[in-house]
Amino acid sequence: MNLSAPLRFAVVGHPNEGKSSVVSTLAEDDTVPVGPFPGETRSCHVYPVIVDGRPIVEFIDTPGFQNPRHTLAWLEECGIRDEEAVKAFRIAHQDLPEYRHELELLRPIEEGAGIIYVVDGSRPLHKDDRAEMEILRRTGRPRLAIINFKDQDDRYLEEWKGAFRRNFNSVRVFNAHHANYAERIALLETLENIDQDWQPAMEQVISAFRRDWRQRLARTVDLICDLLEKSLGHVTLAKYDEKEKESAEERLKERFCRDLGELEQTFHQRIRRLFKHNIFKYQPPPNSALRDNLFSERVWKVLGLDRSQLTWAAALAGGAAGAGLDVAFTGISAGVFTATGALIGALSAYLGGENLARVKGMGPRLFGLRLLPSIGKIELKIGPLHNLQFFFVLIDRVLIFFSYVINWAHGRREPLPEDSPGEAREGYTAQWSDEQRRVAIRYFEALRNPDDVDRLEKRRLEFQAFLRHFLAGLSGENPE
Amino acid sequence: MTDPQPFKNPDPSEGFKPSARRSRWDIGDLIDLEYFLHGDEKENDDFLHRRDRTIFLSSPLSRQTPTPPRRILIRRWLEIRRKVAGKGTEGSPPLFPGTVFRETMNLAKWIVLALGFLFGAGLAFSLLNYRGVEPVNVSGYVSLLIGMQILFLFFLMAGSLLRRRFRRWTLTASFWGGLLHLLCRRAARAASKGLSVSFRDRFNAAFGLLKSKRSVYGNLFILPFFLISQLFGLSFNIGALIATLAKVLTSDLAFGWQTTVQVGPAAVHQLARLLALPWSWMVPEGTGYPSLQQIENSRIILKEGIAHLATTDLASWWPFLCLGLLFYGILPRFLLFLGTWVSKKIALARLDFSHAACDRLVMRMQTPLLETSHPFSAASPGNSPTLNRGFPAEEAAPAGNAPDAVALVDETLLPQAPREEVVKAGRGLFGVEITEILPLSGELRQNKQVLEQLRNWPWKRGQAGVCLIQEAWQPPILESLSFLREIRDVLPEKGKIYLLLVGKPRPETVLTPPAANDRKVWEWQLKSLADPYLGVGWPNNGA
Ligand SMILES: Nc1nc2c(ncn2[C@@H]2O[C@H](COP(=O)(O)OP(=O)(O)OP(=O)(O)O)[C@@H](O)[C@H]2O)c(=O)[nH]1
Ligand SMILES: [Mg+2]
């Protein structure tokens, strides 16, 4: 247990190399200011990692070096070493405004912070960089070099690594825009191994990160089951006059689809919050199956199971669940989706008779007997949509969304460009093994009869255990 | 109700003794647990995590390694939840469902004891009603007080066997389930009087939960009701026995038997011997049960009266009746009671609290609260310095009369910057004739030398021009900008500075177009220099 002051790391480097982005991604904090122009960060900002109310580690975002060569020249000339040199430098340059950024960024180092030096590895090494490395070496503090990649170009990687090997305790590639959970942990583990004094605090932080992640996965699984149960059990009711039957039906179908869309939206909101995305406006890549709404033709073509898998699954789930499958497939191939591509048009055919039920003649009743003559109203009802393919389509959409959210680094602020290469993804469920799918199907089956609480609970637990495992796999964490 | 100190009301708001009760659970606790867990379902995750983690950390358990088992952790959590919930309400301490359950059961236990005793004694008295005219008919006593109980035991056994076979929907299970449900509803209604509506909701839900938690707790919640019913049986039989003994002792009873069915004394004797099997090994024939002779002698034949029957034979029946009560009534009830009580204890001790809600709870307690958001960083990002936007368009010099210029090239770039290409770029981009290329080593001293060279440069017609090749992928830092200022300082008035921005080098040349964003960054920074004789250009086709 570390009861003393928190362990501090100064994240330093050339301007605009992605220092703030690295901090943002590492701390999963999307409020860290990041900008395309150098000089975005102009003073130190502390980003603490608080475990159980106590700051254990602090990452300090600093401004970039503005005068590396002059600074180095001064240090070389003054003939003092280590922290003392930094202090002397501060005293000598206190009143020089052009050295403001250097003074600011060296301050935590003078106070004993460890150094995380960030460079953009997609560009060649420059004299300024060598000067900065030499300055940092002269501070005598333990230091880690992080190679960030602002673009894909890795021609210079070896050159960078070579330069770092001489001056740094450790080197790590860490892409501020793509690093995920596993890479964050790996980075922290590197820090842990640099200096023995850092070990207890880093160990504590890493373990907290790990447990926190596991808890988030468990929570995600709960939310997924909640969404599945709500969606599959959703019922929309409406009363209409006999005369407007046709349009009433249309409206009801639309409302049904909208309701389910809203459930999904709420789910997305919660997942985003769980993974600490405050500003990231989730925008799936252009040809993602998430762009279209739940009942669109494309979604039902790419996600869920294919025909043979589904037939097999339906057999496993027992009769009724499979009803409507053929309608769905002939529907898709015969183009019964409406002009807008939505399934709404075919919904009733797809759902089968039982799902669009109508009860004629509303009015007061006593023991099932109508007290007044029919007053001409029809009650329409859609749902519950207990359909196997729907179940798998939902799971796929959920998993795709989850994987976008966990892979969207917090340091990454701009949405994907519209012309970005398609990350069009097929669903995950089609790739599940028979055994994995069977667990899902058993849960699906139990959902059909929610009154049998014991069975539902048991199967839900099985499914959740499996899903937690699966999500952990997707995020590179070993589930325990 | 089977609490070892059943009469001590376990008031949760009273002091919690960590060592004694750390891991002991009773059904009331489970009910409270489910009640709190149910209430938590609507709460927000962050709140729950914060609260439960704080509870965990504030208890000494958090300092134990390895972490104590769940039953202790959750038990501690429950104590604190109850304590905290108790503080919120003023006046009388809140009535938790578990307390209601315990008190209801306690009350039920006493009522059942009293009723059982009364019924048993009453029945025995009425069966032993002897007015000295007709002897008491044993067959009524035996069939009602003993036969019924044997039948009942038989059903119980069959029921439990059936339940083992079919697990659900057996007679007893649904009977006890129904009784449980009914009693829960009663208890809830009784207890929820005077409670706020939302509290009552949670209350009813908690009792409803018990029913739905069968998969978690098995039949645990049914056992108390079963125990109560055994208690009833026990006190019923004790009542009957005491009444019988009292009757035997206080009055001169005559027992006889009669039947309309044609069975002889031999058959009756057989039956009596059969019934007496459990005790005949220690209390022999003639005492433990009547002998054939005694039976024959105690047969009542209405038209003959009882005058001819021997008194001793008439009294020979009562030990049989008492032993029957003892062995078919009291003993099995007692054993059932004991067995159930023990199995309840075992079930409670074996609870592993592994269902989903407890999983989440333990996870919340053991997962550190992790905050990485900077509390103040949500403020607006730093503003960029305001810039002088009056950057003039470059004036291209008239062709053929191109002024001369000196190019400054970093020495590391020189090998990939052949002279003719630099000259071509100077012509094409700035309309100047580059006459000389000076290498820059990047060292400050050498920089100074170059600047001195420029200061003393023999400019033709006083038209000075310096072309600096700058890697645009290096962001403009003060040092680079101040170098530009230094160049400005050594140039004569209206001397031109041409900044040639290049992108990342290719193997054959450094004169590549810069990335659009880098270019913008430089243009934007250069504006801050407000230098009207500074021109910017960049190769646009890799020239
Ligand atoms: N494509 C890509 N862009 C990145 C990456 N890291 C940073 N950037 C971009 O680079 C720019 C600068 O990022 P910052 O994190 O603000 O850089 P900084 O080092 O903090 O800059 P200063 O605060 O100005 O010193 C931003 O536009 C980022 O979006 C990366 O890994 N990939
Ligand atoms: Mg920054």
Side-chain angles (χ1 to χ4, degrees), chain A residues 16 18-21 32-35 39-42 61-64:
Chain A
N16 219 31
K19 299 180 293 298
S20 303
S21 308
V32 178
V34 164
E40 178 76 46
T41 312
R42 299 195 296 157
D61 189 16
T62 67

Side-chain angles (χ1 to χ4, degrees), chain A residues 14-17 26-29 31-34 36-38 40 42 45-53 65-71 73 77 97-99 122-129 151 153 155-156 205 207-209 211-212 214-216 218-219 221-223 273-274 276 278 452-454 457 461 464 468, chain B residues 43-46 49 53 57 67 168 211-216 354-356 359-360 363-375 377-385 410-412 440-445 447-448 470-471 473-480 482 486 504-507 517-518 520-521 524-525:
Chain A
H14 210 63
N16 219 31
E17 300 285 271
L26 193 56
E28 288 188 291
D29 182 352
T31 61
V32 178
V34 164
F37 289 102
E40 178 76 46
R42 299 195 296 157
H45 287 269
V46 179
Y47 298 93
V49 176
I50 303 174
V51 179
D52 290 332
F65 284 98
Q66 291 292 338
N67 306 284
R69 296 190 210 185
H70 284 87
T71 306
E77 264 164 37
E98 59 272 33
Y99 285 94
S122 62
R123 63 170 180 81
L125 201 65
H126 194 264
K127 286 207 174 107
D128 289 343
D129 303 313
D151 63 49
D153 197 348
R155 277 175 297 167
Y156 311 104
V205 164
S207 140
F209 269 76
R211 280 156 177 251
D212 183 65
R214 253 175 264 150
Q215 192 188 28
R216 279 194 236 172
R219 188 63 202 145
V221 169
D222 284 348
L223 289 174
R273 257 213 12 227
L274 189 59
K276 306 187 180 184
N278 305 308
D452 191 344
V453 184
D454 290 5
E457 172 123 356
L461 280 178
Q464 291 191 331
R468 266 206 307 276
Chain B
E43 296 286 0
N44 145 314
D45 290 331
D46 290 341
H49 185 197
R53 179 69 179 167
L57 287 179
T67 325
R168 250 180 279 261
K211 224 173 51 126
S212 68
K213 292 288 169 189
R214 252 232 310 277
S215 58
V216 177
S354 62
H355 60 296
D359 264 356
R360 306 286 176 276
M363 196 168 214
R364 288 197 298 267
M365 292 210 281
Q366 299 198 323
T367 302
L369 284 170
L370 185 64
E371 295 160 68
T372 52
S373 275
H374 181 53
S377 63
S380 68
N383 286 324
S384 325
D410 192 283
E411 61 181 17
T412 54
L440 288 173
S441 80
E443 261 185 74
L444 297 181
R445 211 170 307 124
N447 274 1
K448 290 231 168 62
Q470 172 68 50
E471 297 104 323
W473 41 265
Q474 277 294 85
I477 56 177
L478 281 182
E479 218 165 47
S480 332
S482 66
E486 284 169 327
K504 287 179 201 167
R506 278 202 297 263
N517 192 53
D518 295 341
K520 264 186 235 142
V521 167
W524 180 78
Q525 275 294 352

Side-chain angles (χ1 to χ4, degrees), chain A residues 165-444:
Chain A
R165 245 170 241 135
R166 265 168 276 132
N167 289 310
F168 284 80
N169 305 66
S170 204
V171 187
R172 255 215 104 77
V173 173
F174 183 82
N175 193 316
H177 276 197
H178 296 285
N180 56 23
Y181 164 75
E183 286 159 284
R184 289 199 299 273
I185 294 288
L187 179 61
L188 295 174
E189 279 170 345
T190 310
L191 279 179
E192 179 185 5
N193 292 322
I194 285 185
D195 194 310
Q196 211 169 2
D197 293 349
W198 297 353
Q199 246 163 22
M202 290 313 296
E203 214 164 77
Q204 202 183 345
V205 164
I206 292 168
S207 140
F209 269 76
R210 281 232 152 91
R211 280 156 177 251
D212 183 65
W213 190 259
R214 253 175 264 150
Q215 192 188 28
R216 279 194 236 172
L217 294 187
R219 188 63 202 145
T220 304
V221 169
D222 284 348
L223 289 174
I224 291 177
C225 287
D226 183 59
L227 174 72
L228 289 175
E229 289 176 24
K230 279 192 182 132
S231 299
L232 258 59
H234 187 72
V235 172
T236 312
L237 285 170
K239 291 173 197 164
Y240 295 107
D241 272 332
E242 183 95 52
K243 281 160 269 163
E244 41 178 309
K245 197 181 102 192
E246 292 288 304
S247 66
E249 245 181 65
E250 284 312 305
R251 280 208 304 275
L252 190 64
K253 286 177 201 160
E254 271 168 36
R255 212 178 79 204
F256 183 75
C257 294
R258 209 173 48 232
D259 287 353
L260 290 179
E262 276 166 18
L263 283 175
E264 215 181 23
Q265 283 302 314
T266 315
F267 169 79
H268 288 181
Q269 205 76 35
R270 288 183 178 162
I271 293 290
R272 270 213 300 269
R273 257 213 12 227
L274 189 59
F275 289 90
K276 306 187 180 184
H277 281 294
N278 305 308
I279 56 171
F280 154 49
K281 191 77 190 75
Y282 170 66
Q283 192 40 264
N287 44 8
S288 156
L290 284 188
R291 277 265 168 123
D292 303 308
N293 82 35
L294 186 54
F295 286 105
S296 72
E297 180 174 2
R298 212 169 69 81
V299 166
W300 286 66
K301 269 183 181 163
V302 267
L303 301 186
L305 306 184
D306 70 26
R307 190 169 195 150
S308 66
Q309 290 171 328
L310 204 51
T311 315
W312 182 87
L316 206 68
L325 287 188
D326 270 335
V327 190
F329 276 106
T330 34
I332 289 170
S333 45
V336 292
F337 288 83
T338 59
T340 53
L343 182 63
I344 304 179
L347 198 57
S348 47
Y350 177 68
L351 302 172
E354 58 173 313
N355 285 300
L356 185 61
R358 70 179 56 98
V359 185
K360 280 202 175 176
M362 301 302 299
R365 279 160 187 263
L366 185 65
F367 304 121
L369 294 172
R370 212 176 298 142
L371 292 180
L372 297 171
S374 167
I375 47 175
K377 290 256 178 185
I378 301 177
E379 179 160 72
L380 284 172
K381 167 179 176 254
I382 301 186
L385 181 44
H386 200 87
N387 177 283
L388 195 57
Q389 181 71 333
F390 177 57
F391 176 71
F392 280 107
V393 166
L394 268 176
I395 295 182
D396 268 338
R397 280 171 71 95
V398 155
L399 292 179
I400 292 177
F401 181 79
F402 170 80
S403 119
Y404 280 131
V405 168
I406 61 164
N407 286 309
W408 190 275
H410 288 72
R412 189 172 173 187
R413 304 298 163 78
E414 62 274 15
L416 282 174
E418 281 300 302
D419 59 351
S420 66
E423 283 179 58
R425 217 186 297 232
E426 301 252 315
Y428 290 93
T429 55
Q431 264 109 57
W432 282 356
S433 72
D434 286 353
E435 193 39 58
Q436 294 174 319
R437 220 173 291 142
R438 199 194 306 266
V439 176
I441 292 168
R442 282 164 58 84
Y443 171 51
F444 168 82

